[in-house]
């Protein structure tokens, strides 16, 4: 499935003194199998944008097309859209409410009117993806869990709907490094093994650089860049201008180059950097090449 935004603008509280244009003339589309990263400063419109992708928000101007069919008008089947496009909100664990993990994850499928058996299979599958053992956790209260585990339950609740497109709004915010890694691994697996289309909103450039194959940079309600990571993250000055930064590795490579080591200062992935640094160190053997 594909979702297309055509000249979408969104104004909050229109006609009041609090009127605010959060999106301005947004034009872009998501195609099947993509892994899109959305980055941008707080307030740049990321959350507003993604809520247009599953029909939670309606554009003030412009249209949203799903597989070529207009969604923004009265004809649009928003319920069907919400089933196909799963949205994991920021701090999604705040929306857990059932007394057991099973019930929380089963909530969506139950509303679809599936049989008990189908519901159980969906809960099992979703828990497996997020790395929670079914028998250990199904009868436990979600409120006894750690923050990272609670978030995994919340993500499983969206996965149990088997969305074709999975959108996650800052899914690792506030988690420790292990919690972050677990969640990112699950998301990446979903994309690679089940061909789920993923839209990941993140503050963390390293996360986006490693996972996404397309990066959208937002600033003040507009899309500033929409390109592969290699193109976006090497435009350090442009990112600096809007208060963002490139992945840490890129700065390291730039610093090494400046210090006289013959490395490629466009590399921003850890593994590539390691290889390139080793190569440069070997080729410079015997020569005083670093001015640190
Ligand atoms: P981001 O997710 O990039 O931080 P948001 O999409 O949440 O950005 O917000 C974009 C802008 O819209 C911000 O300036 C925010 O204050 C404003 N905004 C968000 N939600 C509302 C709302 N419900 N009413 C009025 N303004 C809002
Ligand atoms: Mg946000």
């Amino acid at each position: 499935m594909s979702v297309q935004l055509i000249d979408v603008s969104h104004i909050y509280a229109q006609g009041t003194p609090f009127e605010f244009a959060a999106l301005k003339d947004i034009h872009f589309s998501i195609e099947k199998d993509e892994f899109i990263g959305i980055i941008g400063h707080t307030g740049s419109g990321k959350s507003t944008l993604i809520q247009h992708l599953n029909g939670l928000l309606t554009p003030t101007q412009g249209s949203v097309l799903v597989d070529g069919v207009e969604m923004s008008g009265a004809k649009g089947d928003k319920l069907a859209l919400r089933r196909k496009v799963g949205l994991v909100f920021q701090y999604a664990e705040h929306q857990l409410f059932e007394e057991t993990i099973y019930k929380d994850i089963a909530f969506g499928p139950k509303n679809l009117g599936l049989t008990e058996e189908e519901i159980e299979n969906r809960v099992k599958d979703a828990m497996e993806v997020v790395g929670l053992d079914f028998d250990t956790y199904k009868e436990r209260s979600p409120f006894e869990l750690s923050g990272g585990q609670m978030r995994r339950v919340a993500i499983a609740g969206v996965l149990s709907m088997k969305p074709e497109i999975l959108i996650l709004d800052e899914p690792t915010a506030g988690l420790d490094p292990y919690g972050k890694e677990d969640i990112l691994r699950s998301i990446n697996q979903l994309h690679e093994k089940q061909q789920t289309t993923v839209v990941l909103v993140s503050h963390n450039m390293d996360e986006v650089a490693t996972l996404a194959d397309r990066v959208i940079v937002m600033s003040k309600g507009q899309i500033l860049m929409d390109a592969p990571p290699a193109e976006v993250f090497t435009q350090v000055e442009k990112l600096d201008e809007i208060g963002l930064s490139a992945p840490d590795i890129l700065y390291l490579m730039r610093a090494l180059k400046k210090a006289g080591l013959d490395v490629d200062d466009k590399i921003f992935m850890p593994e590539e950097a390691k290889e390139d640094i080793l190569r440069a160190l070997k080729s410079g053997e015997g020569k005083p090449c670093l001015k640190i």
Side-chain angles (χ1 to χ4, degrees), residues 2 16 22 56 68-70 77 95 111 114 143 147 174 179 195-196 199 208 212 230 232 254 256 277 281 285 287:
S2 73
T16 77
L56 267 185
V69 178
E70 171 80 45
D77 185 354
Q95 287 167 348
N111 281 343
L114 303 177
F143 303 103
Q195 283 76 45
T196 308
V199 179
V208 174
V232 168
R254 286 186 149 203
L256 288 172
I277 292 169
L281 285 172
E285 224 166 356
K287 282 183 254 162

Side-chain angles (χ1 to χ4, degrees), residues 12-13 18 20-23 40-49 51 90 169-170 201 203 218:
Y12 283 114
F18 305 104
F20 188 84
L23 291 181
H41 216 268
T42 304
S44 59
K46 304 181 298 296
S47 297
T48 306
L49 173 68
Q51 289 176 69
Q90 206 166 348
D169 199 351
E170 315 239 8
V201 174
H203 255 97
M218 296 207 54

Side-chain angles (χ1 to χ4, degrees), residues 154-170:
I155 295 174
V158 173
L159 294 181
S160 64
M161 296 293 283
K162 292 200 180 292
E164 288 177 42
I165 300 179
L166 176 67
I167 306 173
L168 304 109
D169 199 351
E170 315 239 8

Side-chain angles (χ1 to χ4, degrees), residues 214-233:
R214 179 176 160 204
V215 180
I216 289 177
V217 184
M218 296 207 54
S219 178
K220 297 180 182 157
Q222 290 181 305
I223 292 179
L224 205 69
M225 290 187 239
D226 179 352
E231 213 172 294
V232 168
F233 289 126

